[in-house]
Amino acid sequence: MDRLLPRVLRVDLTRKRSWVEERPDLFRDRLGGTGAAIELLHELCPPGADPLGPENPIVFAVGALSALYPLASKTVALFKSPHTGNLGESHCGGRTAFALRLAGYGALVVEGRSDVPVYLSIHDGGVRFRDARTLWGMGSSVTVGRILRDVEPGSGHRTILRIGRAGERGVTYAAAIAETYRHFGRLGLGAVLGSKNLKAIVLSGRGAIPVAEMGRYQKLYRELHERAVRSDLMTKYHELGTAQNVGPLNEMGALPVRNLQATRYPEEPAFSGERLAQGYLGRRLACAGCPVACIHLAALREPHPAEPYFYKTTFVSYDHEPLYALGAMLGVEEAAGVLKLIDAVGHVGLDAMTAGVVLAWATEAFERGLISEAETGGVRPRWGDVAVYGEMIGRIADRESEFYRVLGEGVRAAAERYGGAEFALHFGGNEMPGYHTGPGAFLTYLSGARHSHLDSAGYAVDQDLLRRGEEIPPADLARRLLAEEARRQVLSSLVICFFARGLYDFPTIAACLGALGDDWDEGRLRNLGAEILRRKHAFKVREGFRLATLPIPERAVTTPAPGGAVNGTYLRRALAEMERWLEGSDELEG
Amino acid sequence: MAKRLAVVDVERCVDCLLCAQACARRFGEGGLARSAIAVRSAGGVERGFVVVVCRACDDPPCLHACPVGAIEKGPVGVRVVLDRCIGCKACVAACTIGAVGWDEEGGKPVICVHCGLCARFCPYGVLALEEVEGG
Ligand code: SF4
Ligand code: SF4
Ligand code: SF4
């Protein structure tokens, strides 16, 4: 480990002060990333903290392999989530990880609350608190990015992380946006930044990272690079991107459509990966340090409403999850319509996934008469009506009325207030991801440290079991998912993109660390993964989370998945096993 | 025959920075401090990128600008004689395309030596070594 990685940059917005702390314990013994960040969160976030109060810290962290090895390209953010009330964890690509590490820090911790809107300008070892009153309240986060790009230094080796209107106003699922097209999407980091009066962070870095054994490092780098560019990563993620999932999920009847009243479109959706690539793909981008380039930008060309013969071209980044949430869940038929909605949530700074599920709940609640035009302010949500959804996205971001304020807290809050809990698709307060594949997916959503489909990849286990025509007892499925999630804790400590999970098995990781002068082996890595997972669970429990008794939305178990309707008792048994393990000390088989 | 590093298909650039990382590894380190190649967006990433690297001028302005003669003609492009360099940055200002990088720690310029390592790691064929006429 080099001497710069353990440096934690602490920024106190209340007192407008910053300082650096050395934490070799967190970066040597925990590898950095999520392993380090969860410890900082335990230390700095007081129990019962108000997620939107100054006492809620935000920890951004990179890890031992960041900016050194292929696909070690992500930054993790940990905070207490205003959306679920417990652990908030979100990962983001772009240039953030490079900038943070090459600025000479392993982590950035933001605490307190500024008295006036500010943004942080962090360059060459200095932290400046800059006036953001002019940027506050701006209609679009894209404009904010454009302005900062011009007034701030560091072009080519910086990250520009900012929030939109939704974050300023405390929508509990507001996102933070990096480099215009990457997001800390889920669990409300944008709202926490907004509550601190912090509009943006511009951070640049282009330093050197000394490497202990250069020969070994060069060789490993070359091998991993070759494997990455020759692997199926390129066809899986580069060609069509994650959008390639839309078609197959639709075909197998696992794509949640119209608030999961259905699980497929009769034909391949207009926004499938193939069809978007053919009709709209305008550019591919990579996160810094990644050869795969999975980021897909659609060029959306629309006639200008006021000027004849004038078209505006908007670039919209698309991925499976936003396409599911703002397309399938809302019954949208046109590719251009989905792209417009994805663009709209980006401008105001909302999490696309939660926004889609919220609008889907509202549409069904409106259909069933639980809410009326009195609540919606005269708009009539209707499946596929993109114009209405676009309007509602703006109103949610602006927290326009009592109704939109409640929608701005997610479907759990909306169902508590207006009814319709049976079709409010959230798991532990976080809205459903785009895989209705079976029990594995639901267990991942319920138990995952960040309630994300990527925590333990239950959707992949479901598909694997379906292919084999196998069923396994709930306790076995529970342990299989826990083992996968524990393994992923190591990846997100280093911090490696989960798409590269196939490249980095434990022996490879140990070799990568070895070239940097750090002595690790498979057993120690495995133990660390389990330990981090338990530390996260402990944080959640501390904040009132109980896994075994989490409600399971009725719609999720009544709408059949490809292997049939999911059995609630099966899920309960698996959850009990997960809780037992998370709160115990047994080992897991890998 | 001598070869020059050329940016041959910038439209395919995805901004992965693998080229810049490869260049820095020449010095036995990670990071970007001494990379001789940089990638910047052409005014927003949706418009694509500009890859900034020495293009091996026939008559190099950087060489003429150096007050102490620390920049010499190389087999291709130029070579910096670090012991002679006084760190004045005249070369940085002289290169019209901004291809003279700066090593902040060492206080010396970093200019591409056209070794081609970066091209080996560019996944999308943006960079290539090209034969130089009469080189
Ligand atoms: S550094 Fe600039 S001026 Fe010097 S040879 Fe290269 S391109 Fe020409
Ligand atoms: S050719 Fe060699 S010196 Fe020039 S940018 Fe590429 S790696 Fe660096
Ligand atoms: S390696 Fe190639 S694609 Fe990547 S930034 Fe450099 S020139 Fe662009």
Side-chain angles (χ1 to χ4, degrees):
Chain A
M1 185 181 63
D2 67 283
R3 69 193 159 76
L4 294 177
L5 183 65
R7 285 162 31 100
V8 176
L9 176 61
R10 303 268 304 260
V11 175
D12 179 349
L13 289 164
T14 309
R15 290 175 197 81
K16 312 282 186 300
R17 280 211 304 247
S18 70
W19 67 100
V20 172
E21 257 174 32
E22 301 279 341
R23 294 300 300 268
D25 53 329
L26 300 183
F27 289 85
R28 193 186 49 226
D29 307 337
R30 306 244 152 193
L31 299 174
T34 206
I38 187 61
E39 296 309 317
L40 288 166
L41 195 66
H42 270 287
E43 286 171 24
L44 299 173
C45 180
D50 173 359
L52 297 181
E55 66 268 34
N56 188 14
I58 302 169
V59 184
F60 296 98
V62 292
L65 303 191
S66 296
L68 278 174
Y69 285 98
L71 286 117
S73 52
K74 297 264 175 171
T75 306
V76 301
L78 265 67
F79 47 94
K80 182 172 173 182
S81 167
H83 196 56
T84 60
N86 57 68
L87 180 63
E89 173 170 2
S90 186
H91 300 178
C92 181
R95 283 191 173 187
T96 315
F98 258 55
L100 187 58
R101 176 127 202 213
L102 300 187
Y105 308 110
L108 162 67
V109 179
V110 182
E111 295 156 88
R113 168 186 281 152
S114 174
D115 47 352
V116 290
V118 291
Y119 74 89
L120 290 174
S121 169
I122 308 176
H123 309 280
D124 303 321
V127 176
R128 287 185 188 76
F129 299 84
R130 294 214 191 271
D131 196 332
R133 281 175 294 191
T134 316
L135 305 176
W136 203 258
M138 254 177 199
S140 167
S141 70
V142 178
T143 314
V144 173
R146 281 192 189 145
I147 292 166
L148 292 175
R149 201 160 72 206
D150 286 345
V151 301
E152 282 287 315
S155 168
H157 42 90
R158 68 183 171 196
T159 184
I160 302 179
L161 192 66
R162 68 271 193 177
I163 61 169
R165 267 139 76 190
E168 293 175 8
R169 290 166 201 189
V171 175
T172 61
Y173 49 94
I177 301 152
E179 288 57 285
T180 314
Y181 300 109
R182 296 288 85 196
H183 305 87
F184 285 104
R186 307 224 74 193
L187 297 168
L189 179 61
V192 181
L193 287 163
S195 75
K196 299 189 171 318
N197 265 325
L198 183 56
K199 182 70 184 174
I201 301 173
V202 185
L203 165 70
S204 70
R206 51 170 292 241
I209 310 175
V211 171
E213 295 187 40
M214 199 57 196
R216 269 173 83 189
Y217 167 65
Q218 298 257 35
K219 186 163 169 287
L220 271 165
Y221 184 99
R222 209 164 39 237
E223 281 167 17
L224 284 161
H225 175 80
E226 294 299 325
R227 276 173 58 205
V229 296
R230 296 223 176 95
S231 67
D232 65 348
L233 279 174
M234 294 313 244
T235 43
K236 244 168 111 180
Y237 298 111
H238 176 75
E239 285 179 6
L240 300 179
T242 58
Q244 61 122 8
N245 287 327
V246 172
L249 285 171
N250 186 66
E251 207 161 293
M252 71 188 282
L255 182 70
V257 175
R258 292 189 303 279
N259 205 32
L260 196 55
Q261 298 186 78
T263 53
R264 60 153 55 99
Y265 282 72
E267 314 262 329
E268 178 179 328
F271 48 88
S272 73
E274 287 80 1
R275 296 181 67 182
L276 283 172
Q278 278 158 10
Y280 292 90
L281 183 58
R283 191 168 290 285
R284 294 189 183 92
L285 303 174
C287 299
C290 171
V292 177
C294 75
I295 305 163
H296 287 59
L297 300 189
L300 178 63
R301 189 164 175 268
E302 294 170 283
H304 194 278
E307 250 193 273
Y309 304 115
F310 180 66
Y311 288 79
K312 61 171 184 169
T313 304
T314 316
F315 284 83
V316 184
S317 76
Y318 61 87
D319 266 300
H320 170 67
E321 295 292 351
L323 293 170
Y324 135 74
L326 293 164
M329 273 301 250
L330 300 179
V332 177
E333 303 282 347
E334 302 287 307
V338 191
L339 294 173
K340 274 187 221 173
L341 293 178
I342 296 176
D343 190 45
V345 298
H347 282 281
V348 300
L350 286 173
D351 171 31
M353 290 165 71
T354 290
V357 177
V358 164
L359 292 172
W361 174 89
T363 309
E364 191 167 342
F366 190 82
E367 269 185 349
R368 289 171 187 265
L370 297 178
I371 52 170
S372 67
E373 283 182 64
E375 280 82 22
T376 63
V379 303
R380 304 178 60 82
R382 196 163 50 96
W383 303 119
D385 192 334
V386 170
V388 166
Y389 292 134
E391 172 67 28
M392 291 175 80
I393 286 167
R395 294 189 189 194
I396 290 171
D398 293 336
R399 319 211 77 179
E400 197 190 75
S401 62
E402 162 75 4
F403 174 69
Y404 288 102
R405 245 182 9 76
V406 175
L407 286 193
E409 289 171 4
V411 296
R412 178 164 68 181
E416 266 163 27
R417 174 78 173 70
Y418 300 101
E422 62 288 3
F423 58 85
L425 286 159
H426 72 87
F427 292 83
N430 199 25
E431 282 67 15
M432 180 180 180
Y435 299 84
H436 187 61
T437 50
F442 292 152
L443 290 173
T444 294
Y445 306 159
L446 287 160
S447 71
R450 48 192 183 126
H451 305 296
S452 156
H453 63 295
L454 279 171
D455 284 328
S456 53
Y459 65 98
V461 178
D462 287 336
Q463 292 176 63
D464 182 44
L465 293 174
L466 274 172
R467 262 191 303 273
R468 296 161 189 257
E470 229 181 275
E471 274 177 45
I472 56 175
D476 290 7
L477 181 55
R479 279 194 299 275
R480 187 160 160 187
L481 295 175
L482 284 168
E484 182 59 24
E485 187 167 13
R487 192 171 92 76
R488 291 185 184 206
Q489 301 313 303
V490 176
L491 297 178
S492 58
S493 297
L494 286 166
V495 176
I496 293 167
C497 173
F498 285 170
F499 292 167
R501 59 189 176 269
L503 288 181
Y504 286 95
D505 54 16
F506 282 160
T508 306
I509 292 170
C512 289
L513 289 164
L516 305 179
D518 299 323
D519 189 20
W520 285 81
D521 61 35
E522 206 173 331
R524 220 177 125 211
L525 288 168
R526 189 183 317 280
N527 290 342
L528 177 67
E531 166 70 12
I532 294 170
L533 193 52
R534 286 192 167 117
R535 289 292 284 162
K536 287 187 183 173
H537 184 70
F539 183 87
K540 290 165 77 173
V541 169
R542 194 192 89 175
E543 300 302 325
F545 177 80
R546 294 294 170 269
L547 180 56
T549 54
L550 278 185
I552 299 165
E554 194 183 305
R555 173 66 48 77
V557 288
T558 49
T559 299
V566 174
N567 181 324
T569 318
Y570 181 98
L571 292 179
R572 289 273 166 239
R573 292 214 175 107
L575 287 177
E577 172 64 16
M578 285 178 149
E579 187 162 72
R580 191 190 65 72
W581 183 86
L582 284 164
E583 292 172 15
S585 59
D586 310 0
E587 294 210 356
L588 277 173
E589 306 89 71
Chain B
M1 181 107 64
K3 289 188 175 166
R4 171 185 90 100
L5 180 79
V7 181
V8 292
D9 188 1
V10 79
E11 270 308 307
R12 289 184 70 204
C13 177
V14 295
D15 192 25
C16 63
L17 300 184
L18 298 200
C19 51
Q21 280 185 298
C23 186
R25 285 198 299 277
R26 293 180 302 138
F27 296 99
E29 63 194 24
L32 300 176
R34 287 193 273 175
S35 171
I37 184 166
V39 185
R40 273 196 282 278
S41 81
V45 292
E46 57 282 349
R47 302 211 187 137
F49 299 93
V50 183
V51 179
V52 185
V53 66
C54 170
R55 60 184 312 280
C57 307
D58 285 338
D59 186 13
C62 57
L63 179 155
H64 294 299
C66 180
V68 294
I71 300 184
E72 295 176 347
K73 267 276 212 184
V76 182
V78 295
R79 293 288 180 278
V80 183
V81 185
L82 290 176
D83 288 347
R84 218 178 283 158
C85 167
I86 54 170
C88 70
K89 288 194 173 179
C91 53
V92 174
C95 177
T96 315
I97 59 172
V100 177
W102 198 252
D103 166 14
E104 294 290 343
E105 230 163 83
K108 306 270 167 154
V110 193
I111 304 177
C112 169
V113 297
H114 300 270
C115 68
L117 188 66
C118 53
R120 291 233 307 268
F121 285 94
C122 173
Y124 298 105
V126 175
L127 307 169
L129 280 181
E130 278 183 345
E131 301 283 329
V132 186
E133 294 283 313

